[in-house]
Amino acid sequence: MTVNEPGGSVAPASRSRRRRRDAEENSTRILDAARQVFAARGVATSIEVVAEQSGLGLGTIYRHFANKEALINELARQLLEAAVEIAERHVASGEDALCQYLWEVAELLGSQPGIIRTIWNFPGSEALTARSRTAQADLLRRAQQAGSVRGDLVPEDVAVALFAITGVLDIGRNAAVSGWQRHLEAVLTGWSTRGPGLRHAPLTAADIDDIIRGSGI
Protein backbone atom coordinates (compact mmCIF):
# COMPACT_ATOMS: atom_id res chain seq x y z
CA MET A 1 0.00 0.00 0.00
CA THR A 2 1.28 3.44 -0.91
CA VAL A 3 1.68 5.73 2.08
CA ASN A 4 0.62 9.29 1.39
CA GLU A 5 1.77 12.46 3.03
CA PRO A 6 -0.79 15.01 4.19
CA GLY A 7 -2.48 16.43 1.13
CA GLY A 8 -2.26 13.16 -0.82
CA SER A 9 1.36 13.29 -2.03
CA VAL A 10 3.47 10.11 -2.13
CA ALA A 11 5.68 9.56 0.92
CA PRO A 12 9.45 10.09 0.47
CA ALA A 13 10.24 6.39 1.06
CA SER A 14 7.82 5.37 -1.66
CA ARG A 15 9.26 7.93 -4.07
CA SER A 16 12.75 6.66 -3.32
CA ARG A 17 11.77 3.06 -4.05
CA ARG A 18 10.13 4.12 -7.30
CA ARG A 19 13.23 6.04 -8.38
CA ARG A 20 15.43 3.04 -7.63
CA ARG A 21 13.11 0.76 -9.57
CA ASP A 22 13.04 3.15 -12.54
CA ALA A 23 16.83 3.45 -12.44
CA GLU A 24 17.25 -0.34 -12.43
CA GLU A 25 14.82 -0.73 -15.32
CA ASN A 26 16.60 1.95 -17.34
CA SER A 27 20.00 0.36 -16.66
CA THR A 28 18.68 -2.99 -17.87
CA ARG A 29 17.24 -1.36 -21.01
CA ILE A 30 20.55 0.32 -21.77
CA LEU A 31 22.59 -2.86 -21.29
CA ASP A 32 20.19 -4.96 -23.36
CA ALA A 33 20.23 -2.40 -26.16
CA ALA A 34 24.02 -2.17 -26.08
CA ARG A 35 24.37 -5.96 -26.35
CA GLN A 36 22.14 -5.98 -29.41
CA VAL A 37 23.86 -3.02 -31.06
CA PHE A 38 27.41 -4.17 -30.40
CA ALA A 39 26.60 -7.74 -31.47
CA ALA A 40 25.29 -6.50 -34.80
CA ARG A 41 27.70 -3.62 -35.48
CA GLY A 42 30.69 -3.98 -33.16
CA VAL A 43 31.83 -1.85 -30.24
CA ALA A 44 32.96 0.98 -32.53
CA THR A 45 29.29 1.89 -32.97
CA SER A 46 28.42 5.22 -31.38
CA ILE A 47 26.56 5.42 -28.12
CA GLU A 48 23.87 7.43 -29.91
CA VAL A 49 22.85 4.22 -31.68
CA VAL A 50 22.55 2.51 -28.30
CA ALA A 51 20.35 5.35 -27.08
CA GLU A 52 18.11 5.01 -30.11
CA GLN A 53 17.85 1.24 -29.63
CA SER A 54 17.01 1.61 -25.94
CA GLY A 55 14.41 4.31 -26.47
CA LEU A 56 16.12 6.47 -23.86
CA GLY A 57 17.86 9.80 -24.18
CA LEU A 58 21.61 10.29 -24.10
CA GLY A 59 21.27 12.08 -20.79
CA THR A 60 19.72 9.01 -19.20
CA ILE A 61 22.51 6.81 -20.54
CA TYR A 62 25.21 9.14 -19.23
CA ARG A 63 23.57 9.20 -15.81
CA HIS A 64 24.17 5.45 -15.66
CA PHE A 65 27.47 5.20 -17.54
CA ALA A 66 30.06 7.97 -17.72
CA ASN A 67 30.99 7.08 -21.30
CA LYS A 68 30.86 4.26 -23.83
CA GLU A 69 33.94 2.62 -22.32
CA ALA A 70 32.19 2.33 -18.95
CA LEU A 71 29.19 0.76 -20.67
CA ILE A 72 31.39 -1.76 -22.50
CA ASN A 73 33.24 -2.58 -19.28
CA GLU A 74 29.99 -3.37 -17.50
CA LEU A 75 28.87 -5.61 -20.34
CA ALA A 76 32.25 -7.36 -20.21
CA ARG A 77 32.01 -7.79 -16.44
CA GLN A 78 28.57 -9.37 -16.68
CA LEU A 79 29.68 -11.67 -19.48
CA LEU A 80 32.80 -12.84 -17.66
CA GLU A 81 30.81 -13.30 -14.46
CA ALA A 82 28.33 -15.51 -16.33
CA ALA A 83 31.23 -17.57 -17.74
CA VAL A 84 32.72 -17.99 -14.27
CA GLU A 85 29.36 -19.07 -12.87
CA ILE A 86 29.16 -21.80 -15.53
CA ALA A 87 32.59 -23.09 -14.50
CA GLU A 88 31.82 -23.00 -10.79
CA ARG A 89 28.48 -24.72 -11.31
CA HIS A 90 30.23 -27.61 -13.04
CA VAL A 91 32.88 -27.75 -10.31
CA ALA A 92 30.13 -27.94 -7.68
CA SER A 93 28.45 -30.80 -9.55
CA GLY A 94 31.38 -33.09 -8.74
CA GLU A 95 31.21 -34.56 -12.25
CA ASP A 96 33.74 -34.86 -15.06
CA ALA A 97 32.46 -31.78 -16.91
CA LEU A 98 35.40 -30.04 -18.59
CA CYS A 99 34.06 -30.62 -22.09
CA GLN A 100 30.53 -29.57 -21.15
CA TYR A 101 31.96 -26.41 -19.58
CA LEU A 102 33.84 -25.47 -22.75
CA TRP A 103 30.78 -26.02 -24.94
CA GLU A 104 28.55 -23.94 -22.65
CA VAL A 105 31.04 -21.09 -22.35
CA ALA A 106 31.59 -21.02 -26.11
CA GLU A 107 27.82 -20.82 -26.63
CA LEU A 108 27.69 -17.96 -24.13
CA LEU A 109 30.52 -16.06 -25.81
CA GLY A 110 28.91 -16.60 -29.18
CA SER A 111 25.72 -14.96 -27.92
CA GLN A 112 27.55 -11.65 -27.39
CA PRO A 113 30.09 -11.39 -30.22
CA GLY A 114 30.50 -7.64 -29.93
CA ILE A 115 31.87 -7.87 -26.38
CA ILE A 116 33.93 -11.04 -26.25
CA ARG A 117 37.30 -9.45 -27.00
CA THR A 118 36.98 -7.26 -23.93
CA ILE A 119 36.08 -9.79 -21.26
CA TRP A 120 39.59 -10.90 -20.30
CA ASN A 121 41.05 -7.44 -19.76
CA PHE A 122 38.77 -4.76 -18.31
CA PRO A 123 39.32 -2.70 -15.15
CA GLY A 124 38.64 -4.83 -12.10
CA SER A 125 38.64 -8.13 -14.00
CA GLU A 126 41.38 -9.67 -11.86
CA ALA A 127 39.12 -11.23 -9.22
CA LEU A 128 36.81 -12.83 -11.78
CA THR A 129 39.76 -14.03 -13.83
CA ALA A 130 41.29 -15.66 -10.74
CA ARG A 131 38.01 -17.45 -10.01
CA SER A 132 37.84 -18.61 -13.62
CA ARG A 133 41.35 -20.04 -13.55
CA THR A 134 40.74 -21.83 -10.26
CA ALA A 135 37.58 -23.45 -11.60
CA GLN A 136 39.26 -24.39 -14.87
CA ALA A 137 42.11 -26.05 -12.97
CA ASP A 138 39.61 -28.02 -10.89
CA LEU A 139 37.69 -29.13 -13.98
CA LEU A 140 40.88 -30.16 -15.78
CA ARG A 141 42.19 -32.12 -12.80
CA ARG A 142 38.89 -33.98 -12.47
CA ALA A 143 38.83 -34.81 -16.20
CA GLN A 144 42.40 -36.12 -16.01
CA GLN A 145 41.55 -38.25 -13.00
CA ALA A 146 38.58 -39.66 -14.92
CA GLY A 147 40.85 -40.43 -17.88
CA SER A 148 38.80 -38.38 -20.34
CA VAL A 149 41.63 -36.01 -21.31
CA ARG A 150 45.37 -36.42 -21.57
CA GLY A 151 47.48 -36.09 -18.47
CA ASP A 152 50.04 -33.65 -19.87
CA LEU A 153 47.53 -30.80 -20.21
CA VAL A 154 47.83 -27.83 -17.85
CA PRO A 155 45.16 -25.26 -16.85
CA GLU A 156 46.73 -22.68 -19.17
CA ASP A 157 45.81 -24.96 -22.09
CA VAL A 158 42.16 -24.41 -21.17
CA ALA A 159 42.66 -20.64 -21.19
CA VAL A 160 44.37 -20.79 -24.59
CA ALA A 161 41.50 -22.86 -25.98
CA LEU A 162 39.05 -20.19 -24.89
CA PHE A 163 41.25 -17.42 -26.34
CA ALA A 164 41.21 -19.26 -29.67
CA ILE A 165 37.44 -19.66 -29.61
CA THR A 166 37.11 -15.97 -28.78
CA GLY A 167 39.18 -15.15 -31.86
CA VAL A 168 37.14 -17.39 -34.14
CA LEU A 169 33.90 -15.90 -32.86
CA ASP A 170 35.19 -12.34 -33.14
CA ILE A 171 36.49 -12.72 -36.68
CA GLY A 172 33.32 -14.46 -37.82
CA ARG A 173 31.00 -12.08 -36.00
CA ASN A 174 29.09 -11.04 -39.13
CA ALA A 175 29.17 -14.43 -40.85
CA ALA A 176 26.30 -16.90 -40.82
CA VAL A 177 28.69 -19.67 -39.70
CA SER A 178 31.84 -18.85 -37.72
CA GLY A 179 33.23 -22.39 -37.43
CA TRP A 180 33.81 -22.30 -33.69
CA GLN A 181 32.03 -25.62 -33.18
CA ARG A 182 34.40 -27.37 -35.59
CA HIS A 183 37.36 -25.70 -33.93
CA LEU A 184 36.30 -26.80 -30.45
CA GLU A 185 35.71 -30.35 -31.68
CA ALA A 186 39.24 -30.39 -33.07
CA VAL A 187 40.66 -29.10 -29.79
CA LEU A 188 38.84 -31.67 -27.70
CA THR A 189 39.87 -34.47 -30.07
CA GLY A 190 43.47 -33.38 -29.63
CA TRP A 191 43.02 -33.47 -25.86
CA SER A 192 41.94 -37.10 -25.87
CA THR A 193 44.16 -39.73 -24.27
CA ARG A 194 44.66 -41.58 -27.55
CA GLY A 195 47.12 -39.22 -29.21
CA PRO A 196 50.91 -38.96 -28.91
CA GLY A 197 52.56 -36.75 -26.32
CA LEU A 198 52.69 -33.01 -26.83
CA ARG A 199 56.05 -31.78 -28.13
CA HIS A 200 55.92 -28.12 -27.08
CA ALA A 201 56.07 -26.79 -23.54
CA PRO A 202 52.84 -25.39 -22.11
CA LEU A 203 52.34 -21.73 -21.39
CA THR A 204 52.59 -20.53 -17.80
CA ALA A 205 50.17 -18.32 -15.89
CA ALA A 206 52.61 -15.42 -16.42
CA ASP A 207 52.57 -16.12 -20.17
CA ILE A 208 48.77 -15.91 -20.17
CA ASP A 209 48.92 -12.57 -18.35
CA ASP A 210 51.37 -11.25 -20.93
CA ILE A 211 49.07 -12.35 -23.75
CA ILE A 212 46.11 -10.57 -22.17
CA ARG A 213 48.05 -7.35 -21.57
CA GLY A 214 49.68 -7.28 -24.97
CA SER A 215 46.93 -8.36 -27.32
CA GLY A 216 44.01 -6.22 -26.27
CA ILE A 217 41.74 -9.22 -25.71
Side-chain angles (χ1 to χ4, degrees), residues 133 156 160 163 201-213:
R133 293 184 184 179
E156 287 71 29
V160 170
F163 289 166
L203 298 182
T204 66
D207 293 330
I208 297 295
D209 290 338
D210 287 342
I211 289 171
I212 292 173
R213 285 191 297 266

Side-chain angles (χ1 to χ4, degrees), residues 83-130:
V84 171
E85 288 173 353
I86 290 173
E88 293 178 339
R89 170 167 52 80
H90 281 300
V91 169
S93 75
E95 299 176 355
D96 173 14
L98 177 63
C99 293
Q100 295 94 314
Y101 156 71
L102 287 170
W103 280 108
E104 286 187 38
V105 168
E107 289 277 6
L108 173 67
L109 297 179
S111 71
Q112 298 185 43
I115 300 299
I116 53 177
R117 284 184 60 85
T118 68
I119 69 168
W120 313 112
N121 191 23
F122 60 89
S125 63
E126 295 82 6
L128 283 172
T129 299

